[in-house]
Structure formats: C-alpha cells, structure tokens
Amino acid sequence: MNFDLTSSERNTTWNFLWNELEDYYSKTEKQRTAIYPERKEVVHALDSDFEQPRSTKEAVEYVLKSLSKYAVHTPHPAYYGMFNPRANFPSILADVISAVYNPQLAAWGHAPFAVEVEHMLIQRIGEKFGYTAPNIDGVFATGGQEAHITGLLCALHEKYPDFASSGVQGLEKLPVVYCSSASHHATIKAARVCGLGGSAVKYIEVDDEQRMRVDELERQIKEDLELGLQPFFVFATMGTTGSGAIDPLPEINEIAKQYNLWVHADAAYGGAVRLTKEHTELLDGIENTDSITFDAHKWLSVPMAASLFITKHRYALGKAFSISANFMPEEEDEIDRLSSYTHSIQWSRRFIGLKLYLPLLVFGWEGYEETILHQIRMGDYLREQLLANGWKIYNHSQLPIVCFTDERMEEDAAFSKFVYDRTLEKGNAWIINYPYGKYATLRACITNYNTTEKHIDDLIDWLNENREEYLK
C-alpha cells in the first residue's frame, strides 16, 4: 500500500482540495450560518464502508461536502456566537506546514527551531502581559482547559513541596479554589482532573456587572480558614464568556497576597486587548498575577486549538512536570527544560505555536492591533444600532460582547427564546440566548475580523423582524 500516493495523484488531489477550500474561504458569506438536521440524518449520511477503498479525490470531496452541510459555519461574518473566529490565512498555512513536517516537540533535539519559536513567543507575549524576563516561562497547550489545569498543578506543586510524590492523599487540609459565579466551567473540570474534586471549588457572588465581588471573596476565605480548609488558588476572569465581565484584578491581587493565594488570570479571550495601546488598561493588575491562560485561537484568529499558559515563576513548570526517562535524549539542563515532556502535561506534541508565529511574521503586532480595534469598533456600532432600534443593553463591557433584549419582554424568557430560535432557523446569523442575571437576554459577540457595519445592519433588521413576528 503506497501511503504517499504517487506524485501525480498528490498533485491532482492538492489542486482539487486547494480549489475547493479557496472557494469556501472566499465565499463563506454565501453559506447559511448553520442548519439543524436530525441526528439520524447525519448518522445516515456517514460513509462507514471501509471494506471498499475509494479514490483520494472522492474521499476528500465527500468530507468537504459533509462539513459544508452539517456544521455551524463559525468563519461566517454573521456568526456572533462563542469565541470561534475565522482563521487568518497564514495561520491556516501554518497548520498545513506543521502537518507535513510533523515535528516532534517532546524533546528540543528533535525540533530545535520549533521549540525555540514557541519559547520566544511565550517570552514576548509574557512581556505584553507585564511579566519580566528572565522569570517568564510557559508552554503552548491544546486548549484553555489544559492551560487551566497546568496553572492549578503549578500552584499545587508550589504550595505543597511534596505534592509530586504524595499527591492529594498527602495533604492534611483540603485545598480550596475560588472563582466567580460567572466564570467558565473549566474551573470545575480542572479541579476534578487534578484530584481535588468539584467540591473544592467555591463560587463567589458577582456584582451587577457580573464581576467577582471582592468582599465576598475575602468573607469566603475567612470562613474556609475557620473550617480548617486551605485556601490557595483564585481564578480571575478577564472577559467572561457570557457578558465580557472583567474581574477586579488589583483588589483580588491584594487579597491573594494577604492570604498567600496563587492568582491565575483566565485571559483566554480578553487577554488580546494587551496587544493594543488603547485598551491595555482594561487588564490592569494582570502583571501581578502568578499565571495566565491566553487562547490564540480566540481573538487572534488562528485555527483551533492554540492556547498559551504563561507564568512569572520560572521554575514552576519544572516542579510540576519534570521527569526523566532513559529512552529520551540527554540534553543540557537549560535545553532539557524546554522539552514538552519535562515542561508540560503533554509528551509528544505538534508544533502548535506555528499557527501564531507565521501570522506575526506576516502581519506583525501592528496588524493584530488593527484587527482587535476593528472588532471593538464593530461592538460599539452594534450597541449604537441596538439602542437606536429600541433594544435595551444589559452588560457594559468594553469588549465586543453585547447582551440585549426588548425591555418590555426582559422577564419573558419565551421572547428571547423565540428570537433566538427564529434567527437560527432562518440561517441568517448565529447568536446566543443568554440569561443575564434574572433577565432573559440575547447575546452577540463580534468574533470575525471580516464583520462590517453592513453585516450588523442586516443583523438588526433580522432581529427587528423576529421581534415584530413575536408581538403579532
């Protein structure tokens, strides 16, 4: 069996695939944002006959058609949902290059260029967040969840010197993790994976803007200390998924310092504002945190998944993950600690960082700043048009996330559900039905660098139509 195919077959397939992908990439807007088939339809459409091989072209064509038909098209400029952007073109090329070269980042000696690229990017982005060399360290991760788990494990090994050998069973007091009630549920999963259990996570009440209440954080810490528990970790969110709320980091840092807690900033989405000069103050205090999660596959518009874990504790990753294996190459200490098998949860790993490195080579920091500012402006324009058309806005984030509804129906969950359902059914746009506090609202987020005022005007028209239909 010739897994390489012949040169002629490869060229034919490359050309076919390239043309098909180019057609989708250049005409994404012509797609419906999504269709919602019954599961049985999708299962029935699956080709599972592996006894009858087909041509590469036939196989590729089938996959492309299926993805086009059965998917929410997140690269669409009218996709206003989660943080799933359109991938910029150089980052797509990076994914292809990484797949063809398939470098192994487990050890520096196997992929010195790739490992050094990622190390350099960690340093440069760490500096953007206000961390200082030579203490910056970090690793590229498969997603924000892995970055969160990495932060929690680093904190456990820092707090408990024997944790690497004795684990949770060696702890005399139950460690406690704190996060706001509006934070991502990845916190719970991280606690479970690390062996602490979901009960170790304490949710702190939020204020009217869905920011963590610092007075409640300190009250809960004191209560837990009196119960004989061990407070040790705070997740602070820099742009909540629901409303774009940013927790008050300076105050959280002060309390953490007083009670010797590790502060981890979930800047998976909002961290991108640190690449701008105009909005960097939104994340004041992040330079004083212990570690950060930052997802390049969100606001930096690269293919999923490309997350970064960054810390100002130079040796924290080594304490958590350093290990020796007789089948791995022996390298100098400074080089050895860059290898993913001594430096992260992962062992074998692909070249994740290339998806960020190549766009930076092409567009530079200035290009990213321009794109981020454009999306913030589009968020402002969306707010203006909603207000001008009789919609009420409930959140006041400076990030391009807007929670809104008609004030007359703010407590009518059926209204927001109707508008949400009708918008998705028509396939014109993709939004979210989101409860903002006690109010049933709709949520739209600018995630695409190609979204323009015209797209937002169209969205407003569709929302108005659906509202009128409900009120008939």
Side-chain angles (χ1 to χ4, degrees):
M1 181 63 68
N2 183 7
F3 272 20
D4 285 351
L5 306 184
T6 66
S7 177
S8 176
E9 287 173 320
R10 289 198 303 271
N11 282 327
T12 299
T13 306
W14 274 120
N15 289 334
F16 170 73
L17 176 61
W18 182 264
N19 289 331
E20 291 294 308
L21 292 178
E22 171 59 25
D23 186 66
Y24 175 82
Y25 196 70
S26 61
K27 300 175 182 176
T28 310
E29 191 170 349
K30 296 185 181 299
Q31 300 273 349
R32 285 168 55 96
T33 54
I35 63 169
Y36 294 92
E38 296 288 334
R39 185 186 175 209
K40 62 183 179 181
E41 178 187 343
V42 182
V43 172
H44 180 72
L46 289 179
D47 185 345
S48 58
D49 182 8
F50 305 130
E51 304 301 327
Q52 299 293 327
R54 67 233 359 108
S55 72
T56 308
K57 179 179 179 296
E58 289 174 330
V60 168
E61 187 173 24
Y62 161 73
V63 168
L64 294 178
K65 286 183 177 179
S66 300
L67 283 172
S68 182
K69 186 175 183 180
Y70 300 121
V72 173
H73 292 285
T74 56
H76 198 292
Y79 174 82
Y80 302 101
M82 310 307 291
F83 308 128
N84 305 130
R86 178 180 177 85
N88 66 66
F89 190 67
S91 69
I92 294 172
L93 295 179
D95 240 359
V96 175
I97 293 169
S98 184
V100 173
Y101 277 82
N102 201 26
Q104 166 60 284
L105 274 68
W108 184 93
H110 273 65
F113 173 74
V115 172
E116 292 293 353
V117 163
E118 292 196 349
H119 177 65
M120 177 270 293
L121 288 174
I122 292 290
Q123 300 297 310
R124 296 294 300 279
I125 295 176
E127 290 170 357
K128 293 287 185 182
F129 283 118
Y131 288 171
T132 56
N135 297 318
I136 304 169
D137 199 6
V139 66
F140 276 80
T142 55
Q145 181 67 72
E146 184 191 338
H148 283 357
I149 294 170
T150 300
L152 194 52
L153 286 170
C154 283
L156 284 166
H157 284 80
E158 193 75 20
K159 183 76 173 180
Y160 307 102
D162 296 327
F163 192 82
S165 57
S166 60
V168 176
Q169 63 185 355
L171 304 180
E172 295 181 2
K173 297 180 179 180
L174 177 66
V176 183
V177 175
Y178 303 95
C179 64
S180 84
S181 58
S183 66
H184 199 285
H185 292 85
T187 308
I188 286 285
K189 189 177 286 189
R192 289 177 179 174
V193 171
C194 293
L196 301 179
S199 63
V201 178
K202 299 291 183 74
Y203 285 109
I204 306 302
E205 292 181 14
V206 295
D207 61 18
D208 291 341
E209 294 295 328
Q210 296 200 344
R211 300 170 300 192
M212 183 188 290
R213 283 183 51 184
V214 179
D215 59 331
E216 280 297 307
L217 172 63
E218 184 164 26
R219 184 198 63 75
Q220 187 64 58
I221 291 172
K222 291 179 177 178
E223 179 180 311
D224 290 337
L225 287 170
E226 291 176 2
L227 292 172
L229 305 177
Q230 181 63 69
F232 88 107
F233 193 96
V234 182
F235 274 103
T237 307
M238 305 292 98
T240 57
T241 303
S243 65
I246 296 175
D247 287 337
L249 258 185
E251 293 88 345
I252 291 172
N253 286 332
E254 283 297 315
I255 290 176
K257 183 178 180 181
Q258 180 180 348
Y259 293 96
N260 193 26
L261 276 61
W262 180 292
V263 179
H264 180 79
D266 177 2
Y269 171 64
V273 299
R274 274 284 174 153
L275 303 189
T276 74
K277 302 178 186 69
E278 190 175 337
H279 299 283
T280 186
E281 79 284 348
L282 293 177
L283 302 192
D284 280 351
I286 200 168
E287 66 278 1
N288 295 320
T289 62
D290 295 282
S291 57
I292 300 166
T293 288
F294 179 53
D295 288 353
H297 63 254
K298 289 189 168 69
W299 214 339
L300 299 193
S301 304
V302 308
M304 293 185 283
S307 297
L308 292 80
F309 169 79
I310 309 174
T311 179
K312 67 179 181 183
H313 300 285
R314 186 178 182 185
Y315 300 105
L317 285 163
K319 289 179 183 178
F321 303 112
S322 182
I323 196 168
S324 60
N326 56 14
F327 55 85
M328 297 300 291
E330 292 186 11
E331 297 173 328
E332 298 175 20
D333 288 347
E334 190 65 21
I335 290 177
D336 185 63
R337 78 180 191 87
L338 298 179
S339 303
S340 66
Y341 88 99
T342 65
H343 203 58
S344 72
I345 293 172
Q346 302 171 67
W347 201 290
S348 299
R349 182 166 70 74
R350 71 176 294 156
F351 189 5
I352 300 172
L354 187 59
K355 290 186 283 191
L356 178 56
Y357 184 55
L358 200 57
L360 278 170
L361 289 176
V362 175
F363 303 122
W365 296 121
E366 183 178 352
Y368 266 117
E369 179 178 27
E370 180 182 326
T371 299
I372 293 164
L373 291 176
H374 165 74
Q375 293 183 54
I376 290 175
R377 286 194 298 271
M378 290 303 97
D380 291 339
Y381 182 75
L382 174 59
R383 292 183 187 92
E384 293 170 5
Q385 295 308 305
L386 285 167
L387 292 173
N389 282 270
W391 297 87
K392 179 180 177 181
I393 295 172
Y394 291 79
N395 67 325
H396 299 92
S397 174
Q398 291 179 257
L399 307 179
I401 301 175
V402 189
C403 300
F404 62 95
T405 192
D406 188 302
E407 187 173 10
R408 295 169 295 175
M409 279 79 74
E410 63 184 6
E411 296 186 18
D412 180 3
F415 169 73
S416 61
K417 181 70 164 54
F418 177 85
V419 175
Y420 163 78
D421 286 340
R422 293 297 288 143
T423 302
L424 269 56
E425 285 170 10
K426 294 176 182 178
N428 299 324
W430 207 93
I431 57 175
I432 293 174
N433 187 29
Y434 175 72
Y436 187 87
K438 66 178 183 178
Y439 300 115
T441 72
L442 298 156
R443 174 193 175 279
C445 175
I446 309 298
T447 69
N448 191 315
Y449 52 81
N450 279 342
T451 299
T452 65
E453 294 180 353
K454 171 63 168 58
H455 295 117
I456 292 172
D457 290 341
D458 289 341
L459 174 63
I460 297 296
D461 288 342
W462 297 326
L463 291 169
N464 290 344
E465 289 175 9
N466 294 335
R467 175 173 58 183
E468 291 171 9
E469 186 177 347
Y470 182 83
L471 292 174
K472 285 181 180 178

